[in-house]
Amino acid sequence: MDPDTMRGDGGDVYWRRRMSVLVAVLVVVAVVAWACSSGGSGPQRTSSAQSSPSATPTADPLLAGLRTLAMGTASPSPTPSPTTPTPVARPKRPGEPCAEEDLVLSLQGGKDQIYAAGVEPGFVVTLVNTGPVMCTADVGPRAMEIRVTSGADRIWSTADCVSGVATDIKQLRRGVPYVRSLSWDRRRSSADCRSTPAAALPGTYVVTARLGKLRTTKGVFHLR
């Protein structure tokens, strides 16, 4: 361009145009910079707020203290005490005395029976070994006693006035019953062995058999 022209009115117009363009460029740059600055900071803060984890509530100090105390004072698991082994029972040998828990004693006869005058009541005693092996038991008249009573009155017993050997040891095989039958002559007996025992009166009587601590059920009968 002609320097004279630039120095004239045209020159003023030229510079004003140049200044306007420069101002416009500066304004655009400022607007773009402001837009980038405000737009970037807004979403960034939003995403930052969204991505940050929610605030963890502060634990209750009282509960925390109780939990710590419980963990610190928990009683340890009890140590099992050593168990004493149960002694094993010695196996029973054949021929040893019978244990009472292995014996079953029963009595037949005399239950609700009426004996006419002169008829002697008869009884049958049975002893059974239920143990694992053969054992021995005394079935003599004193050890295995049959007794007749009337109320509190002891009328007759096989243990009274026994003549000869009083013991009678028997071998009892498992499940094989020992049976003893006897009759009562309807006379009283006593330990002093009177020569002439008195006859029992008509009435109601009770008979039982016993061996050690074993007892049979009662048999009730009547004499005429």
Side-chain angles (χ1 to χ4, degrees), residues 160-182:
D160 294 339
C161 298
V162 176
S163 60
V165 180
T167 59
D168 187 6
I169 305 299
K170 296 293 185 182
Q171 292 183 348
L172 303 180
R173 299 188 179 278
R174 175 181 171 84
V176 179
Y178 166 80
V179 181
R180 179 181 175 186
S181 301
L182 71 160

Side-chain angles (χ1 to χ4, degrees), residues 24-43:
V25 171
L26 293 175
V27 170
V28 171
V29 171
V31 170
V32 172
W34 175 83
C36 291
S37 175
S38 62
S41 60

Side-chain angles (χ1 to χ4, degrees), residues 133-208:
V133 296
M134 181 271 292
C135 61
T136 59
D138 184 2
V139 296
R142 288 180 177 170
M144 191 170 70
E145 178 192 11
I146 292 85
R147 181 182 297 184
V148 176
T149 58
S150 179
D153 191 4
R154 181 177 179 275
I155 303 298
W156 176 79
S157 171
T158 58
D160 294 339
C161 298
V162 176
S163 60
V165 180
T167 59
D168 187 6
I169 305 299
K170 296 293 185 182
Q171 292 183 348
L172 303 180
R173 299 188 179 278
R174 175 181 171 84
V176 179
Y178 166 80
V179 181
R180 179 181 175 186
S181 301
L182 71 160
S183 59
W184 177 38
D185 61 2
R186 299 176 63 137
R187 291 186 174 274
R188 299 177 67 101
S189 68
S190 61
D192 59 3
C193 298
R194 298 172 186 170
S195 57
T196 306
L201 299 175
T204 301
Y205 295 86
V206 175
V207 60
T208 57

Side-chain angles (χ1 to χ4, degrees), residues 204-222:
T204 301
Y205 295 86
V206 175
V207 60
T208 57
R210 59 187 66 196
L211 175 65
K213 295 181 180 180
L214 301 178
R215 300 288 186 275
T216 63
T217 57
K218 297 178 179 179
V220 181
F221 62 97
H222 310 277

Side-chain angles (χ1 to χ4, degrees), residues 44-54:
Q44 184 177 2
R45 288 192 299 268
T46 304
S47 63
S48 174
Q50 291 177 353
S51 62
S52 61
S54 59

